[in-house]
Amino acid sequence: AIVPSGLAAVTIPLLTFVSAGDHVLIVDSVYHPTRNFADTMLKRLGIEVQYYDPRIGAGIASLIKPNTKVVFTESPGSNTYEVQDIPAIAKAAHAANALVMMDNTWATPLYFKPLDHGVDISIHAATKYPAGHSDVLLGLVSANEACWKQLYEGFCTLGCCSGPDDIYQTLRGLRTMGVRLEQHQKSALEIARWLEEQPSVAQVLHPALPSHPDHALWKRDFCGSSGVFSIVLNGGGQKAQHAFLDALTIFGLGYSWGGYESLAVPVFLGDRTIAKGSYAGPLIRLQIGLEDVEDLKADIQRGLAAAAEA
Ligand SMILES: *Cc1c(COP(=O)(O)O)cnc(C)c1O
């Protein structure tokens, strides 16, 4: 199903498959608007929402109740990039007759194939890499054979259809997505490795780096990494975080990544209840675009110097 935004690709399958009295398990590192939808609309509709640790793996079985309908996953998690053990979660969920939904926006279907790993419903914000030029909003929902009929009925019932021009632009983006992603991957990895050597950076949260706690899991299941990751500054508070962002000249400020241009945003983890983590300083999320890597490093260097002075 093609829907008008990535967020609609999250809300439509949830509205289609859950009913009053059901219990839904949602990963705590989920995209913030997904959490907001669950905490407001799903709760108002009488659905019990519970968050779980992204690193729970097979342990999800202990949280599943007789009325658990959906286990919602997103891997890697938004902003902090915890990798979930999707096959283990799917096995436990299916043993209890619960469905598994996955927001796979970060990897795209080129670098992770949810249905091959046991997911029932796969969700993508096509706004990001598929469209690729920061000028279209679109969402995609796919399902396995068992779930497709109900998903399609829910999609038709809700009337959230997309405009033909947005679909056309996304089809055009798909023609170059493979080569764009390869470049995003290469540039992001080069910058992430370089950032690991900077004394003013405490940590680089990128699952394709061997230093990442979930690197082995990422390597087992994914066949590539995209261009978005976060850094943890070595100390300092919001003042240092803002000074870093204010000093950037090539990176823009913007939440909706996946386009050709580099972007940075401050990360706020205040909504989390479980995966709060313990970090040495403020977090900044970087989307590495298609610009020259040396230019981007120089820009980040300006940000790091400003943060250190703040
Ligand atoms: C951006 C994003 C969405 C929502 O996409 P929109 O098209 O902006 O509504 C959903 N999930 C994830 C993980 C995202 O990064």
Side-chain angles (χ1 to χ4, degrees):
I2 305 179
V3 296
S5 69
L7 185 55
V10 168
T11 61
I12 289 168
L14 283 169
L15 284 173
T16 297
F17 285 93
V18 299
S19 309
D22 286 346
H23 173 243
V24 174
L25 286 163
I26 299 180
V27 66
D28 199 42
S29 48
V30 78
Y31 175 64
H32 176 77
T34 301
R35 175 187 292 269
N36 181 52
F37 171 74
D39 289 346
T40 55
M41 252 187 227
L42 288 187
K43 282 191 181 165
R44 181 168 59 72
L45 295 173
I47 292 136
E48 192 191 340
V49 175
Q50 184 181 349
Y51 293 95
Y52 67 88
D53 186 333
R55 298 192 166 112
I56 199 166
I60 194 83
S62 67
L63 300 182
I64 293 176
K65 305 188 201 186
N67 61 337
T68 304
K69 192 65 191 279
V70 170
V71 178
F72 194 97
T73 66
E74 179 184 325
S75 182
S78 273
N79 299 324
T80 45
Y81 305 96
E82 296 89 345
V83 180
Q84 294 195 253
D85 190 340
I86 298 292
I89 289 173
K91 197 169 162 218
H94 292 154
N97 280 321
L99 296 175
V100 180
M101 298 185 184
M102 179 176 181
D103 185 333
N104 188 42
T105 297
W106 183 85
T108 83
L110 291 182
Y111 292 160
F112 185 84
K113 298 199 188 313
L115 269 57
D116 290 352
H117 291 84
V119 169
D120 299 289
I121 293 178
S122 169
I123 291 161
H124 293 92
T127 305
K128 308 285 169 56
Y129 293 117
H133 294 76
S134 311
D135 52 3
V136 177
L137 284 166
L138 208 71
L140 308 172
V141 198
S142 322
N144 57 20
E145 205 176 344
C147 293
W148 170 250
K149 195 166 170 274
Q150 192 176 342
L151 175 69
Y152 186 66
E153 279 170 12
F155 163 67
C156 293
T157 302
L158 286 162
C160 289
C161 309
S162 314
D165 288 345
D166 293 341
I167 294 170
Y168 167 72
Q169 298 230 79
T170 305
L171 280 171
R172 213 158 76 150
L174 283 177
R175 291 175 182 156
T176 55
M177 186 169 84
V179 287
R180 282 187 285 109
L181 263 177
E182 267 177 44
Q183 190 60 47
H184 284 294
Q185 164 165 247
K186 188 166 161 265
S187 299
L189 271 172
E190 191 178 333
I191 290 171
R193 288 192 191 108
W194 169 77
L195 278 164
E196 279 202 304
E197 291 162 11
Q198 307 306 310
S200 47
V201 175
Q203 217 183 332
V204 181
L205 307 175
H206 187 316
L209 292 177
S211 62
H212 190 279
D214 306 323
H215 180 66
L217 206 50
W218 171 82
K219 217 168 155 176
R220 186 192 73 185
D221 292 346
F222 288 70
C223 40
S225 58
S226 63
V228 202
F229 63 92
S230 293
I231 57 171
V232 182
L233 297 182
N234 204 350
Q238 201 185 56
K239 227 176 127 200
Q241 189 188 41
H242 289 183
F244 177 95
L245 295 167
D246 287 341
L248 300 172
T249 59
I250 299 175
F251 281 79
L253 298 181
Y255 276 96
S256 192
W257 45 270
Y260 55 89
E261 76 282 65
S262 293
L263 297 171
V265 280
V267 170
F268 171 73
L269 299 175
D271 60 339
R272 299 226 176 145
T273 54
I274 298 154
K276 285 180 171 297
S278 166
Y279 301 103
L283 275 72
I284 291 157
R285 188 184 77 196
L286 299 174
Q287 123 96 4
I288 305 302
L290 304 176
E291 305 93 334
D292 181 76
V293 167
E294 293 311 315
D295 288 349
L296 294 177
K297 283 185 189 170
D299 207 29
I300 293 170
Q301 199 101 63
R302 277 189 283 274
L304 292 174
E309 253 175 54

